[in-house]
Amino acid sequence: MSVTGRVRVFLVDDHPHGREGMRDIVTSDDSFSVIGEASSGEEAIAALANLQPDLVLMDINMPGMGGLEATQRLKQAKPALKIVMVTVSDDITHLFEAIKRGAQGYLLKNLAPSAWLEYLRAISLDEAPMSKELAFRLLQEFSSGKPKQARKAAGRAQTLDKDADVMTTPLTDREKEVLERVATGASNREIAGELGLSEHTVKNHLKNILQKLHLDNRVQLTRYAFEQGIVE
């Protein structure tokens, strides 16, 4: 964050109109400032060698080096950098791949500017929920039984009861309640209201859950919740 307290944002999109649209949304809120732009993954990597943004908005589909590869390379060089993928597609496989490459979030271009700003504020505070639309898509995907291979991502957090041959979780009952609500796309404030907790307590629960499961973000937590049957 800059000395002015603003979140420094870098924009990546191969279309000038795409960058213009993102810039208009971001600069409409005084909490953010745009410190640079790039029209390709290669250009973004070169520019970010000398810039220190807090947040990168990365178009997922670009000629040459696409957003997914650029994200992976940037996260390898700058692990603390927050990257949000931006796309017109709500294909769930893109979401999984973006998270796998290190993205913290995923925004659809057709969302309202107010939804963008709300999400980006939460990302900057490490509180970002998934959009409820994406949470619903995840639920549909897991309910259909398609991502059988998804267990690999949560395998580190699972322990196998060899006698009963069932999966167990290291989470407490309260942590499961928090996780269940995370998986529906609820924000920290919404979770706090539903469970009668403070937002600070919810943040602590989430921190503990992530540490216990060796996971990095809410999308991975949602994936785990579906795989473990915490959310039906």
Side-chain angles (χ1 to χ4, degrees), residues 98-116:
I99 298 305
K100 179 181 175 182
R101 300 292 183 102
Q104 271 67 42
Y106 192 92
L107 274 171
L108 299 179
K109 290 185 177 181
N110 61 1
L111 289 177
S114 59
W116 270 57

Side-chain angles (χ1 to χ4, degrees), residues 41 45 58 62 65-75 83:
I45 290 173
M58 177 80 72
M62 295 182 289
M65 184 188 297
L68 293 174
E69 184 179 351
T71 293
Q72 184 172 354
R73 293 195 184 190
L74 285 170
K75 291 294 288 188
I83 302 178

